[in-house]
Amino acid sequence: MPDEILIETIDQIGVARLNRPDKLNALNLATMTKLVDALERYDADPEIRCMLLAGDERAFAAGADINEMADATVVDMYLRNQFARWERIKRIQKPIVAAISGYCLGGGCELMMHCDIVIASENARFGQPEINIGVMPGAGGTQRLTRSAGKARAMDMVLTGHMISAHEALGMGLVSRVVPAEHWYREALNVSRELCTKSPLALRLAKESVLKAHETALSEGLEYERKLFYLLFATADQKEGMRAFLEKRPPVYLGK
Ligand code: COA
């Protein structure tokens, strides 16, 4: 069986790398299944505090695998139920850092938008080119892109299929940081290491709360945030974090 996903643990970081370089990491069903299984395993592993998802230098991912869809009927697509895998990514509780270099298109761009902190190489190119092959985004592209970038820019990308640069993506709030090409992976690893120093429980609840902003009205989101904030006062990590600050020492978080 080919290794569509390379799995590696670095300290407390669960790393998953897309590994179909000859197909620009196009996301076929086997890749998505292995990726989601890996992320869920990391999510359940108490030794892992965050995840790092990357492609290679030439591509994060150039979209869903067109070979698998070209001759599919609507019934094939319906029964395949490929979006069930994406729903499982949505339920991952630990933060996912994405390291993006090269092409980040279609399903690749949608996968990137499922991640929490996105580090992009200055050479990265983003787009939703589905319109060029007679379809449209199906894994959240029209919704997440519009919420991040606004209607005018999302329409431009989705209706023309044009690619944008990393700096344009940064300006649209699609990525968190743009770094020189040689640092795309190292910077993402550094951010992941930084996350490992934080309270794991606070990280999860903070992620949940930020994501809630996509789904609710502001007043409902604020109420939700407040409840999660109160909940953190039930954790030993909150006591440790605040005590360590007052005692002028680094905190030691146990995830309890
Ligand atoms: N699905 C399946 N295969 C893909 C793919 C995809 N989404 N994207 C790239 N590939 C394959 C190509 O078919 C080619 O395979 P081959 O060498 O066996 O012919 C290989 O990856 C390299 O791609 P190629 O097109 O030769 O590279 P390029 O540098 O000339 O162009 C892109 C790069 C990204 C512009 C071009 O590959 C492209 O437009 N891909 C499709 C993007 C897309 O429409 N994504 C949304 C899908 S719903």
Side-chain angles (χ1 to χ4, degrees):
M1 284 287 279
D3 279 341
E4 290 93 347
I5 300 288
L6 300 177
I7 299 298
E8 178 190 13
T9 300
I10 302 177
D11 301 327
Q12 292 169 302
I13 306 164
V15 180
R17 293 192 71 153
L18 302 168
N19 183 41
R20 298 184 73 210
D22 52 330
K23 297 291 175 193
L24 301 181
N25 294 327
L27 301 167
N28 61 5
L29 291 171
T31 303
M32 284 305 293
T33 302
K34 288 182 186 177
L35 174 64
V36 175
D37 287 348
L39 296 180
E40 284 181 341
R41 271 199 307 276
Y42 286 145
D43 214 28
D45 182 342
E47 296 302 316
I48 296 294
R49 294 204 169 183
C50 76
M51 300 165 213
L52 172 55
L53 176 56
D56 54 47
E57 220 166 288
R58 193 168 165 220
F60 177 68
D65 192 317
I66 298 167
N67 289 302
E68 284 187 345
M69 296 187 292
D71 296 322
T73 65
V74 67
V75 174
D76 293 334
M77 291 302 281
Y78 179 75
L79 294 179
R80 200 176 279 177
N81 195 16
Q82 66 196 56
F83 298 118
R85 293 170 186 79
W86 294 78
E87 285 297 316
R88 286 163 59 196
I89 299 180
K90 230 180 91 183
R91 287 197 289 271
I92 298 289
Q93 293 182 316
K94 293 175 187 171
I96 307 175
V97 176
I100 313 283
S101 174
Y103 293 113
C104 182
L105 304 176
C109 193
E110 289 167 307
L111 181 59
M112 177 272 288
M113 288 189 277
H114 278 71
C115 299
D116 302 308
I117 298 181
V118 179
I119 307 301
S121 160
E122 62 193 355
N123 75 15
R125 309 276 287 158
F126 300 84
Q128 296 288 165
E130 293 89 344
I131 200 77
N132 296 331
I133 53 167
V135 287
M136 59 176 275
T142 65
Q143 302 304 298
R144 290 195 176 86
L145 187 60
T146 307
R147 280 172 163 78
S148 295
K151 176 190 158 193
R153 290 187 288 198
M155 281 290 190
D156 196 348
M157 286 177 73
V158 171
L159 300 190
T160 70
H162 289 175
M163 290 186 218
I164 60 166
S165 69
H167 283 288
E168 285 172 293
L170 182 66
M172 291 182 185
L174 269 186
V175 308
S176 315
R177 304 180 196 178
V178 176
V179 297
E182 62 272 25
H183 297 320
W184 67 282
Y185 188 74
R186 194 186 327 147
E187 178 76 1
L189 197 54
N190 287 344
V191 173
S192 305
R193 285 193 203 285
E194 189 180 346
L195 295 188
C196 291
T197 68
K198 315 290 184 193
S199 158
L201 291 168
L203 281 178
R204 286 187 198 205
L205 295 188
K207 165 174 172 164
E208 187 181 332
S209 196
V210 172
L211 289 176
K212 199 75 177 171
H214 270 307
E215 308 211 343
T216 54
L218 180 60
S219 55
E220 204 182 319
L222 289 172
E223 201 174 312
Y224 195 80
E225 178 191 78
R226 203 154 306 146
K227 284 182 181 149
L228 294 183
F229 176 76
Y230 289 145
L231 186 57
L232 284 171
F233 284 75
T235 68
D237 281 353
Q238 174 269 327
K239 300 284 173 294
E240 166 63 9
M242 293 194 181
R243 248 179 238 138
F245 175 82
L246 294 174
E247 291 166 11
K248 301 191 189 304
R249 61 171 174 82
V252 180
Y253 292 122
L254 301 174
K256 292 184 184 303

